[in-house]
Amino acid sequence: EAGVTQFPSHSVIEKGQTVTLRCDPISGHDNLYWYRRVMGKEIKFLLHFVKESKQDESGMPNNRFLAERTGGTYSTLKVQPAELEDSGVYFCASSWQTSGQETQYFGPGTRLLVL
Amino acid sequence: AQKVTQAQTEISVVEKEDVTLDCVYETRDTTYYLFWYKQPPSGELVFLIRRNSFDEQNEISGRYSWNFQKSTSSFNFTITASQVVDSAVYFCALSEAYSGAGSYQLTFGKGTKLSVIP
């Protein structure tokens, strides 16, 4: 069974540009999470989809970030316009059930560098 | 609010030594779940273990063991006879059992970078 995949693995862009990150969850997983790790800090929650609906987007830093999950399959996270502080590693995770005990399986992350 | 503290930023051990990674957590919930993930140099987060707050039994899986103590709010991870392949960043994480927002997001510690020297 394929794991969570993310694309691209790396992205280097200039301040003010737009970047779109993609996450493909494990097949059959209704729950999809986005997290971010800024250099030297904790991995922090951004938002959670249940199928195509946003269950919780309390971790989204500002309105420059837009996440979608059309059709309840893959998800995209767009940053527009990107700022220097957006640099970090963006992780996607998926789980089957919406439950605290459900294990979230993570992808390899997208390393974003904004210059 | 939930919080996870991994006080050890980096640890270096010589191969075959035992090493313990500390994790201390804070939560007001009585029911919660604790996790450990491993991040090897390739970058992905690999799930290692999940424990619920009602199960304080220690767990052993090969060279890995976990010590969960509610009295000290700790969930420590020990690697016995460490190997070079154990070199990675290890994250401890916490999730609540009942979420008003229905999110069950993970709260992570900052991670401990383990280097096993041959």
Side-chain angles (χ1 to χ4, degrees):
Chain A
E1 179 184 292
V4 177
T5 58
Q6 294 186 244
F7 182 83
S9 58
H10 296 79
S11 181
V12 181
I13 61 172
E14 294 192 350
K15 176 182 171 181
Q17 290 186 321
T18 297
V19 63
T20 300
L21 314 181
R22 172 172 170 145
C23 169
D24 286 77
I26 293 172
S27 178
H29 281 192
D30 286 340
N31 295 275
L32 189 150
Y33 297 80
W34 283 98
Y35 292 84
R36 175 175 76 169
R37 187 184 192 202
V38 173
M39 178 74 75
K41 303 221 170 167
E42 298 89 340
I43 299 171
K44 292 236 170 138
F45 167 78
L46 295 178
L47 87 159
H48 170 211
F49 284 100
V50 178
K51 297 185 180 179
E52 67 274 10
S53 300
K54 290 177 186 174
Q55 183 71 29
D56 182 358
E57 52 184 333
S58 62
M60 295 287 262
N62 52 62
N63 59 10
R64 295 185 294 104
F65 288 75
L66 175 63
E68 294 180 328
R69 193 183 181 195
T70 307
T73 54
Y74 71 90
S75 174
T76 58
L77 180 64
K78 180 190 287 188
V79 185
Q80 179 182 32
E83 298 289 344
L84 299 180
E85 64 264 24
D86 300 333
S87 297
V89 182
Y90 290 77
F91 291 101
C92 176
S94 72
S95 68
W96 182 44
Q97 289 182 340
T98 307
S99 164
Q101 67 177 325
E102 192 70 13
T103 296
Q104 295 178 29
Y105 294 94
F106 282 77
T110 293
R111 281 144 190 81
L112 174 64
L113 179 60
V114 183
L115 302 175
Chain B
Q2 298 179 325
K3 184 178 179 181
V4 176
T5 302
Q6 294 180 257
Q8 304 148 310
T9 306
E10 292 191 43
I11 302 176
S12 289
V13 298
V14 176
E15 200 171 22
K16 297 184 183 178
E17 286 184 347
D18 299 347
V19 59
T20 295
L21 310 182
D22 297 333
C23 173
V24 174
Y25 61 91
E26 295 175 31
T27 178
R28 285 177 288 189
D29 297 326
T30 56
T31 304
Y32 49 89
Y33 298 89
L34 295 162
F35 300 80
W36 276 95
Y37 286 86
K38 172 182 180 180
Q39 185 184 35
S42 52
E44 74 277 20
L45 287 168
V46 178
F47 165 72
L48 295 178
I49 189 172
R50 179 188 73 222
R51 301 297 283 177
N52 73 56
S53 53
F54 295 110
D55 184 0
E56 286 194 71
Q57 276 195 329
N58 290 337
E59 176 134 353
I60 298 174
S61 176
R63 295 183 298 104
Y64 294 173
S65 62
W66 290 269
N67 184 320
F68 174 33
Q69 297 208 354
K70 286 180 79 169
S71 59
T72 55
S73 297
S74 65
F75 186 41
N76 296 338
F77 173 30
T78 297
I79 301 175
T80 303
S82 59
Q83 299 177 2
V84 173
V85 293
D86 296 327
S87 296
V89 181
Y90 291 86
F91 292 95
C92 181
L94 169 71
S95 78
E96 56 189 359
Y98 306 107
S99 166
S103 178
Y104 308 107
Q105 57 185 270
L106 291 172
T107 299
F108 283 88
K110 288 189 176 181
T112 297
K113 182 178 181 181
L114 174 65
S115 298
V116 181
I117 304 163

